[in-house]
Amino acid sequence: MMNMWFKNTAFVMVFTFLSCGNGKTQVNNTSKASENEKVKTTQSTTTRSPQRGLSVTVGANQFEEYLPLLKDKKVAIVGNQTSIVFKNSGYVHLVDTLLSKGVTITKVFAPEHGFRGQADAGEKVNDSKDTKTGLPIISLYGNNKKPSVEQLNNVDVIVFDIQDVGARFYTYISTLHYIMEACAEQGKQLIVLDRPNPNGHYADGPLLDQKHSSFVGMHPVPVVHGMTIGEYAQMISGEGWLDTPKKTDLTVIPVKNYNKSMPYSLPIKPSPNLPNSTAVNLYPTLCFFEGTNVNAGRGTNKQFQVFGSPYLNPEIYNFKYTPKANEGSKYPKHLGELCYGFDLSENNKRFTELHLEILISAYNNTANKAEFFNSFFTKLAGTTILQEQIESGLTAEEISETWQEGLKIYNQVRTAYELYKR
């Protein structure tokens, strides 16, 4: 009885904390980068903090910085629905914009979820043609993750422009890795048009153990890496993470008037199951449920804002829903089954750390602990240790403490590649 009281009390404390909020940020450290490891950036790199009265300007909008690099070149775009150029009213896709400016685009490479961002997570996306421009679209998800020599034989420059959300298991940074590797091996120039990271204000979680490297985690970084995709590209290059001794000819077009303490709401959902800022905020924490028998809101209109399972204790988890097939989730976990869980969609707290309390509470209150975790959990965590710690009864605070030395080292490393103030 006392044990159940403790679990219930812990559960209440978790969600009282989430609604009231009192997070912590990681300690910042500094280190030097060797001159020969630095990559090229434009003059905009000197913009270290936002200037009052000036709006954030993403890399794609800074034509003066990168259009000269595309003149008389055959260009390939790595992009999706988030590859947009902002106008006074609304926005236009980068591909359409560059074509209107006379840039010769020969093809488009599409990441997970496809060029229009409508495919399910993990769904095979076939090569196709863009119905608007007629450009060939080559999928970089599935068996073909890295452009081949044949696919780049009529390309001089690749422009990478995809909105990231700052989590190691969000696969756009894995696509970036393979693009950089192909460019290094084949002598192609790569231009990364940077965008703000909505979770860029903190870094947290265990560092990935390379023994568990996969497409949902390729590099020895924490679960929340705290870098923009342009900074991340610089770190991939500088730390020698590519499987080739050759260096990528990399140019990053930084964001103007931006620092990482600034809240940033995405104008377009970056993937089908991250429909709004709340989902983006909760995603690094709730995505751990993808490696369990708990549904993380797929099959609802509150993806990564609710979670539930038929096996959670309904006396504690009194929010109920039934996952149904919908856009981005044709076969959601527990399809058609009544799930008991919790609704976090009204949470207005900006997370500054992972909240393992949510995961631990679900584990402690499931009817079948033996089947709670599946093999995907280790890939998401990047280590076997996290599951072992939860199963052994460690608290979130005790688990987090075991990350701190690794985070300290990581923060020292990443400082060398940062373009924006924290």
Side-chain angles (χ1 to χ4, degrees):
M1 188 70 178
M2 181 62 72
N3 189 39
M4 179 58 72
W5 178 88
F6 174 79
K7 291 175 182 175
N8 292 356
T9 302
F11 178 83
V12 172
M13 289 176 64
V14 168
F15 295 108
T16 300
F17 174 79
L18 290 181
S19 59
C20 299
N22 184 24
K24 63 178 184 292
T25 55
Q26 301 300 327
V27 177
N28 297 334
N29 297 283
T30 58
S31 65
K32 295 198 302 184
S34 62
E35 290 301 318
N36 62 352
E37 294 294 343
K38 291 183 179 179
V39 298
K40 295 177 292 184
T41 58
T42 68
Q43 296 278 334
S44 306
T45 307
T46 57
T47 302
R48 303 286 297 179
S49 61
Q51 301 172 35
R52 291 183 180 179
L54 296 179
S55 61
V56 168
T57 305
V58 300
N61 270 77
Q62 298 176 54
F63 302 115
E64 70 282 2
E65 302 288 359
Y66 67 91
L67 281 184
L69 303 177
L70 306 182
K71 183 178 174 59
D72 300 324
K73 300 288 181 65
K74 296 176 182 177
V75 179
I77 306 294
V78 183
N80 62 7
Q81 76 284 354
T82 66
S83 311
I84 56 172
V85 174
F86 292 96
K87 302 292 185 180
N88 290 333
S89 57
Y91 44 80
V92 179
H93 199 280
L94 177 69
V95 169
D96 300 328
T97 302
L98 294 186
L99 287 174
S100 73
K101 292 182 177 294
V103 174
T104 303
I105 301 176
T106 59
K107 63 188 63 178
V108 173
F109 291 102
E112 182 178 8
H113 306 295
F115 183 53
R116 298 300 176 187
Q118 296 175 332
D120 283 7
E123 181 180 357
K124 177 178 171 57
V125 178
N126 295 318
D127 295 349
S128 61
K129 276 194 174 184
D130 182 40
T131 55
K132 183 173 182 180
T133 64
L135 289 171
I137 300 174
I138 299 171
S139 173
L140 293 179
Y141 191 70
N143 295 329
N144 181 48
K145 292 183 174 67
K146 183 168 74 173
S148 65
V149 172
E150 181 182 4
Q151 290 167 343
L152 291 183
N153 65 6
N154 62 339
V155 173
D156 301 313
V157 182
I158 294 181
V159 176
F160 188 105
D161 183 26
I162 297 177
Q163 177 66 59
D164 189 44
V165 299
R168 187 183 64 214
F169 33 61
Y170 206 58
T171 62
Y172 298 152
I173 56 174
S174 297
T175 296
L176 172 66
H177 172 107
Y178 283 119
I179 287 290
M180 291 181 67
E181 199 164 87
C183 286
E185 292 170 344
Q186 301 182 44
K188 309 296 182 180
Q189 183 181 11
L190 174 63
I191 300 172
V192 175
L193 305 181
D194 211 5
R195 293 181 180 271
N197 174 2
N199 288 313
H201 54 288
Y202 73 108
D204 199 19
L207 270 61
L208 178 132
D209 181 342
Q210 292 288 164
K211 291 185 297 186
H212 302 291
S213 178
S214 71
F215 197 61
V216 292
M218 298 187 69
H219 309 120
V221 302
V223 171
V224 185
H225 54 69
M227 304 191 81
T228 66
I229 208 155
E231 292 174 323
Y232 203 92
Q234 295 191 153
M235 186 161 61
I236 289 174
S237 179
E239 292 303 302
W241 289 340
L242 300 178
D243 191 20
T244 175
K246 298 179 180 179
K247 289 291 182 182
T248 307
D249 181 1
L250 173 65
T251 300
V252 176
I253 310 298
V255 183
K256 287 183 178 179
N257 310 317
Y258 167 69
N259 74 34
K260 294 178 186 174
S261 66
M262 302 169 63
Y264 186 77
S265 296
L266 304 184
I268 296 177
K269 59 183 180 182
S271 55
N273 288 293
L274 291 181
N276 53 41
S277 294
T278 301
V280 170
N281 178 41
L282 293 167
Y283 173 73
T285 291
L286 295 193
C287 191
F288 282 118
F289 282 132
E290 300 282 88
T292 73
N293 63 8
V294 176
N295 173 287
R298 293 185 190 271
T300 76
N301 62 355
K302 293 183 178 181
Q303 302 96 322
F304 290 101
Q305 299 158 83
V306 302
F307 66 88
S309 163
Y311 313 114
L312 292 179
N313 187 339
E315 294 182 4
I316 297 174
Y317 293 89
N318 55 16
F319 174 71
K320 297 183 288 187
Y321 67 95
T322 302
K324 300 177 180 179
N326 66 0
E327 180 190 7
S329 191
K330 296 182 179 67
Y331 307 102
K333 192 182 300 179
H334 303 311
L335 175 65
E337 297 182 72
L338 181 62
C339 292
Y340 303 96
F342 205 85
D343 184 351
L344 293 169
S345 63
E346 298 302 317
N347 170 59
N348 58 7
K349 178 185 179 296
R350 190 185 187 206
F351 280 11
T352 56
E353 61 186 344
L354 292 172
H355 284 281
L356 287 185
E357 302 95 332
I358 297 173
L359 179 65
I360 292 170
S361 179
Y363 174 76
N364 287 339
N365 291 285
T366 186
N368 59 346
K369 285 186 172 62
E371 297 180 13
F372 184 81
F373 293 103
N374 59 51
S375 60
F376 191 50
F377 186 83
T378 295
K379 290 184 177 181
L380 293 172
T383 174
T384 59
I385 296 174
L386 180 56
Q387 180 177 337
E388 294 167 0
Q389 290 172 324
I390 294 171
E391 290 176 334
S392 67
L394 293 185
T395 67
E397 292 77 13
E398 290 169 335
I399 294 172
S400 178
E401 184 59 33
T402 67
W403 301 338
Q404 298 311 309
E405 186 59 34
L407 284 171
K408 181 179 179 180
I409 295 170
Y410 168 75
N411 282 326
Q412 290 172 338
V413 171
R414 72 170 170 140
T415 299
Y417 306 108
E418 291 186 302
L419 300 171
Y420 316 100
K421 183 178 178 180
R422 297 187 243 160

